Amino acid sequence: MASRAGVEVMSRCIALAGPTAAGKTAAAMAIAQRHAVEIISVDSALVYRGMNIGTAKPDAAELAAVPHHLIDIRDPLQAYSAAEFVQDAQALIAQINARGKLALLVGGTMLYFKALFEGMDDMPKADPAIRAELEAQALEQGWPAMHAQLTQVDPTTAARLQPADSQRIQRALEVFRISGRPLSSFHTGRAATPHAAMPLVSLEPQDRSWLHERIAQRFDAMLAAGFLDEVKALRARGDLWPDLPAMRCVGYRQAWSYLDGQGALQQDAAAWDEFRNKGIYATRQLAKRQITWLRSMPQRQVVACDALDATAQVLTIVEQFTRINPPSP
């Protein structure tokens, strides 16, 4: 909240969320054509430089049409946490509002949204030694066994994670081993004011098959645009490895594994089909997790992204908000 003449004024910000391939970028650009906005990316993959095709990063025309923030702010070697996102987003919202514009938060990293809405205590920093221990244990026992281990120490976090979600299982176990506290205990709501009441427009499909088809089409378009060449360039750096958070992003993990295999060298059609199918399946699983996260957010206003008038519905919600919350004089 900001204050004007001693009166509390709500920040002019609105969130647009949804699963991957739901049409968030198109809706955001439609909003930008009608309103003075700046976009804050809420996406844990878009922060990385050199990862453009596989993350469906906004193209040059979209980036030129409206100011975007929190894109290309990290090298793939660097981490970017939910706590850092909250700090950055809060500062950006204030700056954008000071320029008389609406802050439009757009993305699908639901942990970032949840941290911004509900607050998050400072969590322990990554510990390379503990991570290495967890990796070694997972190699021996498998990630489902690690998920079972997490269930014993942090059932709340384990309940929202799939047994194969290695990155998040590892982080939750790491936090517990460092602090002796479950990861879920760090979500206390301590910083829930000023953005807990931010409007959240949620693009969700009525027909899940519609989204599945969009995901397959987009993955094929990424492949046609040179996604594998992008991953080859990242591998050629020589300082990246597949267990980095950046390389665990959906699509990149599957591409890295494919390039590790003999199928890529031999141009094996069966290996290619397996890679494509794994990439599409992993993206569908991501979308399923994103929708589950969204359904836990009671403030969301759902717009059916597969409806013919989906963009019009989003614009109506934004216009209602801007009428009630005009720019400060």
Side-chain angles (χ1 to χ4, degrees):
M1 299 256 183
S3 63
R4 186 172 66 222
V7 178
E8 290 290 324
V9 180
M10 178 177 289
S11 298
R12 295 187 73 244
C13 51
I14 189 166
L16 177 63
T20 184
K24 298 183 293 295
T25 297
M29 297 309 294
I31 294 169
Q33 289 178 351
R34 295 199 181 190
H35 300 276
V37 306
E38 294 187 28
I39 294 174
I40 299 173
S41 170
V42 189
D43 191 303
S44 61
L46 296 190
V47 301
Y48 295 116
R49 294 186 289 270
M51 296 172 58
N52 303 323
I53 298 172
T55 62
K57 194 170 288 181
D59 62 29
E62 291 164 338
L63 292 172
V66 57
H68 285 69
H69 303 276
L70 303 187
I71 293 177
D72 290 339
I73 61 171
R74 290 288 189 276
D75 182 85
L77 270 176
Q78 299 172 306
Y80 187 66
S81 69
E84 289 174 306
F85 166 78
V86 171
Q87 182 178 17
D88 290 343
Q90 288 177 336
L92 284 165
I93 290 168
Q95 293 163 15
I96 293 167
N97 286 175
R99 290 191 282 269
K101 295 183 179 181
L102 173 69
L104 179 61
L105 291 92
V106 183
T109 300
M110 304 310 166
L111 176 61
Y112 287 6
F113 278 122
K114 187 175 180 68
L116 184 62
F117 297 154
E118 300 181 5
M120 174 182 280
D121 286 341
D122 292 333
M123 290 194 295
K125 293 183 178 180
D127 185 315
I130 291 177
R131 287 199 167 186
E133 291 175 5
L134 290 167
E135 285 284 353
Q137 190 175 353
L139 283 173
E140 180 181 344
Q141 301 179 14
W143 284 109
M146 303 299 284
H147 183 267
Q149 184 182 135
L150 180 62
T151 301
Q152 298 300 313
V153 299
D154 187 356
T156 300
T157 299
R160 65 174 177 80
L161 299 181
Q162 296 294 319
D165 194 349
S166 58
Q167 180 180 351
R168 291 178 176 82
I169 294 170
Q170 182 189 55
R171 177 56 178 160
L173 287 170
E174 177 190 32
V175 168
F176 181 79
R177 292 192 182 185
I178 294 171
S179 66
R181 291 173 53 188
L183 177 66
S184 55
S185 72
F186 287 86
H187 297 264
T188 63
R190 177 173 56 88
T193 59
H195 302 304
M198 183 193 303
L200 170 62
V201 182
S202 179
L203 292 171
E204 301 174 29
Q206 294 176 308
D207 180 1
R208 195 70 64 91
S209 65
W210 176 90
L211 186 63
H212 288 176
E213 181 61 27
R214 293 254 302 184
I215 287 170
Q217 290 174 355
R218 190 169 76 167
F219 194 78
D220 285 337
M222 288 175 177
L223 292 174
F227 175 44
L228 272 183
D229 289 334
E230 180 173 271
V231 180
K232 287 177 183 177
L234 291 166
R235 287 164 59 95
R237 286 179 36 158
D239 60 347
L240 302 177
W241 62 94
D243 289 326
L244 283 169
M247 295 300 100
R248 287 178 169 180
C249 291
V250 166
Y252 289 86
R253 180 188 303 188
Q254 290 75 28
W256 192 291
S257 178
Y258 171 71
L259 292 170
D260 272 343
Q262 292 301 310
L265 298 175
Q266 299 172 0
Q267 297 184 335
D268 186 321
W272 172 265
D273 288 343
E274 181 182 14
F275 154 59
R276 176 184 176 273
N277 291 336
K278 284 183 176 179
I280 292 172
Y281 177 76
T283 309
R284 288 179 177 178
Q285 291 301 107
L286 169 63
K288 181 179 179 181
R289 293 193 298 271
Q290 290 170 316
I291 292 170
T292 299
W293 271 90
L294 281 166
R295 288 175 176 169
S296 71
M297 299 179 183
Q299 76 272 41
R300 84 193 201 283
Q301 300 179 64
V302 178
V303 171
C305 55
D306 48 349
L308 294 177
D309 64 342
T311 299
Q313 291 184 54
V314 172
L315 289 171
T316 297
I317 294 171
V318 174
E319 286 162 5
Q320 290 172 345
F321 175 79
T322 55
R323 281 199 299 270
I324 297 170
N325 299 278
S328 299

